Amino acid sequence: MPAGGSDSPASLFPQRAIFPQLEPLLCVTFFTCVGTGIDGATSLEQTYGPVVNYLEEQRQVPYELAWLDNGGSVSVQRDFVSRGAQIEHLLSNPTNEGLFRAVNDVWFRGRACTAPYVLNLEDDRVPHPTPPLPAAVQAEVQLTLLRS
């Protein structure tokens, strides 16, 4: 693939205009975990670049990035950052303690986010081909989400 193509370091790890962000208004959180069959860095490679590109193109909200790998390896995180990722807060729990514990650690216990607003990205979801939901169920799911 030619330089600058979709698998080049520049496309996987776009550089941020301001890093680290000292006064963020938005904390973008990535949560990955063991048990999905995909290590956190492999999963995050699919999301990190597009997220940073989008936020950099908007240039409207100063943001920070936080990544908590639940049960993952600190060395995997270090390797990911050494390849060019610019993430303010790297956290790792030695075991998979579940999403709610991870959210509490990152958002509420002061381990990461300093911004007043949060955008949560659970990066380790693996889509499974399934038949579409019946229309009535889809409508109920949409209404439930709107009420939350």
Side-chain angles (χ1 to χ4, degrees), residues 132-148:
L133 293 171
V137 174
Q138 287 179 354
E140 179 60 31
V141 169
Q142 290 170 353
L143 289 175
T144 302
L145 292 175
L146 290 174
R147 287 185 211 132
S148 297

Side-chain angles (χ1 to χ4, degrees), residues 31-41 43 69-73 93-98 123-128:
F31 294 102
T32 57
C33 67
V34 296
T36 60
I38 300 174
D39 74 61
S43 178
D69 197 8
N70 232 346
S73 165
N93 287 333
T95 59
N96 185 348
E97 299 177 16
D123 202 57
D124 60 355
R125 300 297 175 239
V126 179
H128 297 283

Side-chain angles (χ1 to χ4, degrees), residues 5-81:
S6 63
D7 289 336
S8 72
S11 64
L12 290 175
F13 305 107
Q15 297 302 290
R16 296 167 54 191
I18 300 173
F19 176 79
Q21 177 57 254
L22 301 178
E23 296 182 18
L25 291 178
L26 177 68
C27 182
V28 179
T29 59
F30 300 101
F31 294 102
T32 57
C33 67
V34 296
T36 60
I38 300 174
D39 74 61
T42 301
S43 178
L44 199 54
E45 278 184 2
Q46 303 301 311
T47 307
Y48 175 86
V51 166
V52 169
N53 281 331
Y54 177 80
L55 291 168
E56 289 296 311
E57 287 171 11
Q58 300 306 309
R59 293 193 187 256
Q60 299 202 9
V61 178
Y63 67 96
E64 64 185 341
L65 299 178
W67 173 19
L68 186 138
D69 197 8
N70 232 346
S73 165
V74 172
S75 64
V76 168
Q77 284 185 317
R78 286 187 192 134
D79 179 59
F80 191 75
V81 169

Side-chain angles (χ1 to χ4, degrees), residues 89 91 101-115:
H89 309 284
L91 300 138
R101 172 76 187 258
V103 165
N104 283 332
D105 284 348
V106 173
W107 297 353
F108 303 116
R109 292 192 180 122
R111 287 185 63 198
C113 293
T114 61

